[in-house]
Amino acid sequence: MVSGEVCFIVPPHILIQMIDEGSPDIRTSAVRTLAISERVRERRAVTRRVVQHEPQLSAALLLPTTGAKRTVCDVHNGSQGDLPGAKVRHEGDPPVSDVAVNQAYDGSGATFDFYQGIFNRTSVDGNGLELVSSVHFENGYDNAFWNGAQMVYGDGDGQTFKRGGFTTCLDVIAHELTHGVTQFTAGLRYRVQSGALNESFSDVFGSLVKQHSMGQTADQADWLIGEGILGPQLPGTALRSLKAPGTAFQYDNQPAHMDHYVQLPDDGDPRHDNGGVHINSGIPNHAFYLVATAIGGNAWEKPGNIWYNTLTTRLNENSDFRAAADATVDVAGKLYGADGAEQQAVRTAWQQVGITPA
Amino acid sequence: MTGGGTYARIVRVSVVRGGGFSGLVRTTSVATDQLSPGDRQKLAALVQQSGLDDAPAAPSSGEPEPDRFTYAVTLEDQGRTHTAGFSERSMPAGVRNLISWVSTVDGHEESIGPPGGGHR
């Protein structure tokens, strides 16, 4: 039995056309139509288009601001249709007995504060969107994700991933929330190189949020993603390493150089990872690591600022590695001076991973 | 009445799950000759209820979403193979039930590896 869904009065492709071609009034009307639709999948399909044209309008209408920073919900092993679940910890509430709730609360708060304090960005949409997190999704669910509007955490099955592991790891939380930032900015399509860039920006800012929380400089940081969450089926230390892609655990097959770029078809086959988005992200990941260690000091400062400005102002949904390389070099020059040490570090880093910026 | 219908000769059902924030590929399968007669009947019924035969080879709906799971379910009957693809959002309840059963039944096989299939 398919659960009941409210149908669009206006089909999604017409809404997209209205948003693309309409006057501001027509766009507003299209967004309002979208806002009352409960077909989340179709909302998502249209949302990216909306946010590119009308970022503040769409955020305000689709995902109303509540003034609060975050809320954590318990979905009690329910699935998609049960989200977000029962609210169990509101902003400012004291800790509860469920450690997953408290970890999701702290992690989303640390990520919110990072973007606010370092880049003056208020929440993932830049417009104060309340960060809602739901814990205990399904049973032994082996994943955590941003669903376009909120965070969702499984408990892990205890075999592939440790039970309760996902919320313990701040870089995983910040990685997922950064998918939200990308959604509201560059909108990088989750396929092939634009998809690998989408993944890489999530790894970079995931690691930076952790480094910031620990007060670590670039040379002190471990540059790992998912350290300590692997279950017995995955021998190793972490899922990915920006410092040494391909070395984090037994099945880590990430390249650190274009010579080892893995060509996979973007054919919807689950074996092919949308054209290798979690594989080839190792290349831009390592470029960022090289920039951060060449510039030195706190990686969230100049290196993070170059990457943040690139993501939020220079890239679009089809940007590839070369476009990202060119844009970061240009941004570094604009922010810190043409041919300055920072711009040279960025140019050299991309060359070291096999990409020669313009 | 076994509920087996046209699926009385199923040889194997395989589920490939990819994506998630790890990108890892997990393959779970059951061969009917490893199942008890009761489980064979149950599998045939679940396959029939899943509507798998009418589902397209790849999920048709929209753009892939960051760090979500995607699935391919392959049915090997005697003399033919059919694969259907699903995103988490597009997966019908019947397919979800089938996957859940295959992942837990006595005699199922499971493996995990990196995307792209290459083990270093």
Side-chain angles (χ1 to χ4, degrees), chain B residues 31-43:
Chain B
T32 45
D33 63 9
Q34 300 298 309
L35 295 177
S36 70
D39 282 341
R40 272 203 292 277
Q41 284 185 18
K42 177 72 177 164
L43 179 63

Side-chain angles (χ1 to χ4, degrees), chain A residues 130-186:
Chain A
E130 182 179 12
L131 298 182
V132 175
S133 307
S134 295
V135 298
H136 307 308
F137 182 71
E138 299 190 349
N139 285 292
Y141 187 78
D142 253 340
N143 199 22
F145 60 92
W146 168 258
N147 79 349
Q150 69 156 95
M151 279 300 308
V152 181
Y153 298 94
D155 291 325
D157 69 353
Q159 295 297 312
T160 309
F161 291 102
K162 283 183 186 165
R163 284 216 163 259
F166 299 124
T167 50
T168 64
C169 215
L170 180 56
D171 49 81
V172 171
I173 294 174
H175 170 109
E176 294 306 328
L177 286 166
T178 300
H179 282 308
V181 175
T182 300
Q183 168 192 337
F184 283 101
T185 56

Side-chain angles (χ1 to χ4, degrees), chain A residues 166-217:
Chain A
F166 299 124
T167 50
T168 64
C169 215
L170 180 56
D171 49 81
V172 171
I173 294 174
H175 170 109
E176 294 306 328
L177 286 166
T178 300
H179 282 308
V181 175
T182 300
Q183 168 192 337
F184 283 101
T185 56
L188 292 157
R189 294 177 81 211
Y190 205 63
R191 301 175 181 277
V192 199
Q193 286 199 12
S194 57
L197 285 172
N198 192 324
E199 269 302 303
S200 178
F201 279 102
S202 274
D203 278 350
V204 164
F205 290 103
S207 184
L208 291 183
V209 171
K210 180 169 117 179
Q211 291 173 34
H212 178 255
S213 80
M214 299 178 78
Q216 293 176 328
T217 58

Side-chain angles (χ1 to χ4, degrees), chain A:
Chain A
M1 170 80 68
V2 177
S3 64
E5 287 184 327
V6 176
C7 289
F8 262 111
I9 303 161
V10 181
H13 71 277
I14 300 290
L15 279 179
I16 288 175
Q17 196 179 350
M18 288 166 72
I19 291 157
D20 275 348
E21 298 167 12
S23 66
D25 282 355
I26 288 175
R27 282 184 196 163
T28 304
S29 164
V31 172
R32 284 188 194 282
T33 305
L34 189 61
I36 60 170
S37 163
E38 293 184 2
R39 291 192 67 162
V40 175
R41 178 163 56 82
E42 298 186 346
R43 275 176 65 152
R44 252 195 86 88
V46 183
T47 297
R48 177 179 301 137
R49 201 67 67 99
V50 177
V51 297
Q52 285 168 354
H53 286 288
E54 299 284 348
Q56 290 176 354
L57 172 70
S58 60
L61 288 174
L62 292 174
L63 305 162
T65 54
T66 58
K69 186 154 79 177
R70 69 203 135 159
T71 292
V72 183
C73 300
D74 186 343
V75 69
H76 292 294
N77 307 114
S79 56
Q80 202 160 271
D82 303 305
L83 291 171
K87 291 182 181 179
V88 288
R89 192 171 172 196
H90 293 268
E91 181 64 32
D93 285 352
V96 297
S97 58
D98 183 345
V99 66
V101 170
N102 299 328
Q103 289 167 339
Y105 182 91
D106 292 343
S108 55
T111 306
F112 189 106
D113 292 346
F114 174 86
Y115 276 106
Q116 181 74 72
I118 307 300
F119 302 124
N120 196 29
R121 180 181 191 83
T122 308
S123 190
V124 297
D125 66 336
N127 199 35
L129 172 67
E130 182 179 12
L131 298 182
V132 175
S133 307
S134 295
V135 298
H136 307 308
F137 182 71
E138 299 190 349
N139 285 292
Y141 187 78
D142 253 340
N143 199 22
F145 60 92
W146 168 258
N147 79 349
Q150 69 156 95
M151 279 300 308
V152 181
Y153 298 94
D155 291 325
D157 69 353
Q159 295 297 312
T160 309
F161 291 102
K162 283 183 186 165
R163 284 216 163 259
F166 299 124
T167 50
T168 64
C169 215
L170 180 56
D171 49 81
V172 171
I173 294 174
H175 170 109
E176 294 306 328
L177 286 166
T178 300
H179 282 308
V181 175
T182 300
Q183 168 192 337
F184 283 101
T185 56
L188 292 157
R189 294 177 81 211
Y190 205 63
R191 301 175 181 277
V192 199
Q193 286 199 12
S194 57
L197 285 172
N198 192 324
E199 269 302 303
S200 178
F201 279 102
S202 274
D203 278 350
V204 164
F205 290 103
S207 184
L208 291 183
V209 171
K210 180 169 117 179
Q211 291 173 34
H212 178 255
S213 80
M214 299 178 78
Q216 293 176 328
T217 58
D219 60 333
Q220 292 167 338
D222 64 19
W223 294 95
L224 296 172
I225 299 295
E227 193 267 326
I229 68 168
L230 306 183
Q233 287 179 345
L234 303 178
T237 307
L239 268 181
R240 293 185 283 274
S241 167
L242 288 81
K243 181 176 183 174
T247 68
F249 78 118
Q250 185 179 338
Y251 302 137
D252 181 1
N253 58 355
Q254 284 206 314
H257 192 282
M258 286 301 285
D259 285 353
H260 306 290
Y261 184 93
V262 179
Q263 295 278 359
L264 286 174
D266 174 27
D267 58 0
D269 185 321
R271 298 172 191 84
H272 298 152
D273 192 28
N274 299 312
V277 299
H278 291 92
I279 302 175
N280 295 313
S281 54
I283 295 166
N285 274 358
H286 194 55
F288 182 80
Y289 165 80
L290 292 170
V291 170
T293 47
I295 293 176
N298 294 326
W300 61 85
E301 293 179 359
K302 287 176 178 176
N305 201 27
I306 295 166
W307 251 243
Y308 177 77
N309 273 278
T310 299
L311 175 67
T312 55
T313 67
R314 297 301 187 92
L315 302 184
N316 61 50
E317 60 183 29
N318 294 316
S319 298
D320 60 9
F321 287 3
R322 177 62 190 273
D326 290 349
T328 52
V329 169
D330 191 53
V331 167
K334 292 231 165 36
L335 288 174
Y336 302 113
D339 293 322
E342 296 82 2
Q343 191 182 41
Q344 285 178 32
V346 174
R347 188 178 281 123
T348 303
W350 285 110
Q351 286 165 351
Q352 285 178 275
V353 302
I355 296 167
T356 304

